Amino acid sequence: MSNGYRAGTIAIVGRPNVGKSTLLNQLVGQKISITSRKPQTTRQRITGILTRDDAQLVFVDTPGFQTQHRGAMTRIMNRSVTQSLQEIDVVLWVIEAMKCNDLDAALYRQLPRTVPLMLAINKIDLLADRKTLLPFIKELHERFQPDAIVPLAAQKNLQLDELLKTIIPRLPEGPPLFEADEITTASERFMAAELIREKLFRLLGDELPYATAVEIERFETLNNLRRIYASVIVDKASQKAIVIGKGGEKLKAVGTQARKDMEQLFGGKVYLEVWVKVKSGWADSAATLKRLGFDV
């Protein structure tokens, strides 16, 4: 690799529902982190890799720092945020335009002071008057003193090139950390579970209980066909009926949409079976959380 090449790790942090996963997907150019309008969609760290001629950027999408829910899963997610801030080269802190609150301030206190801090103001496309951004940017500069502030709209792919221009010079010089064709460190098994979970969020909305998870029980590959058997885990029997829906229509729609996304991501045919299991207290069970892939 020629001199001047840069490669490093960037932690994407922010409170729930500010658009971290959408930003990661747009930067990498592929859906690798699930998105929904429901807060706390991301529960585990997701790595997205962007390789360019001049640099390789390894983004780590973290769960939104959570204070609303308590229990083992929440503690693990918050610890994931803290761990993601260790051994990184840049912090990319995402704040929603015109919305800086006590949760943002609490997260700021968790950020390391030893690496550059990039502040991305997301969702500027939703502002009626962008002139209101100027005093907001001034306030953020004075309050948090980041190394750079970039207003952007991840959903519209607006100002993302400008964001990259601010990050790359702050990465250390060195060879790529991953092969050029790699876009994530996540396994296909993990991605399959995430895509099913995304469809649950999107199709059930506010009906979806917080204590819902997806477990891949079998994942088989035969030539270009993947056979995937997954269970949706809920906390109560009453929640099972919500996920299944009348005549099974909700669960069927979840499976159909998830399968289509999997086929696009994996580049081959997918046979998918999804059912629902009731496991009371699963979100506070270390054994269950470990089986679901959490770093217990």
Side-chain angles (χ1 to χ4, degrees), residues 253-285:
V254 166
T256 299
Q257 292 188 22
R259 177 182 55 77
K260 290 178 179 177
D261 275 7
M262 289 178 200
E263 289 181 338
Q264 183 176 354
L265 180 63
F266 301 152
K269 287 291 184 182
V270 170
Y271 171 82
L272 175 64
E273 281 191 21
V274 185
W275 56 90
V276 185
K277 286 184 176 181
V278 179
K279 291 187 179 180
S280 181
W282 72 264
D284 285 317
S285 166

Side-chain angles (χ1 to χ4, degrees), residues 95-201:
I95 287 180
E96 186 172 346
M98 313 309 296
K99 294 182 181 179
C100 182
N101 59 29
D102 291 342
L103 286 178
D104 293 296
L107 177 57
Y108 175 72
R109 291 192 288 271
Q110 305 283 330
L111 302 180
R113 304 292 185 262
T114 55
V115 297
L117 174 61
M118 306 290 104
L119 204 161
I121 302 175
N122 194 21
K123 305 185 184 181
I124 64 170
D125 55 313
L126 302 181
L127 296 178
D129 183 3
R130 292 189 189 174
K131 290 180 182 177
T132 58
L133 267 176
L134 295 177
F136 185 65
I137 291 173
K138 185 173 184 292
E139 177 193 343
L140 294 177
H141 259 303
E142 293 174 351
R143 187 174 180 185
F144 302 116
Q145 299 182 329
D147 291 84
I149 294 181
V150 180
L152 55 84
Q155 190 74 52
K156 304 290 186 180
N157 207 18
L158 182 65
Q159 284 277 91
L160 299 196
D161 285 342
E162 189 63 31
L163 178 65
L164 293 175
K165 287 178 185 176
T166 67
I167 293 174
I168 290 173
R170 293 173 167 89
L171 297 177
E173 290 194 11
L177 304 172
F178 297 92
E179 296 295 329
D181 60 349
E182 291 187 75
I183 60 169
T184 183
T185 58
S187 67
E188 288 190 353
R189 190 185 188 100
F190 175 82
M191 295 303 300
E194 287 290 277
L195 288 173
I196 295 170
R197 203 161 60 85
E198 178 186 64
K199 303 314 172 191
L200 288 166
F201 276 114

Side-chain angles (χ1 to χ4, degrees), residues 11 45 60-63 79-88:
R45 284 176 287 177
V60 181
D61 182 21
T62 65
R79 189 176 68 204
S80 177
V81 178
T82 305
Q83 289 175 342
S84 296
L85 297 174
Q86 301 173 8
E87 299 182 1
I88 58 164

Side-chain angles (χ1 to χ4, degrees), residues 1-7 54-55 168 172-174:
M1 188 61 66
S2 61
N3 291 335
Y5 196 86
R6 295 180 181 272
D54 58 341
I168 290 173
E173 290 194 11

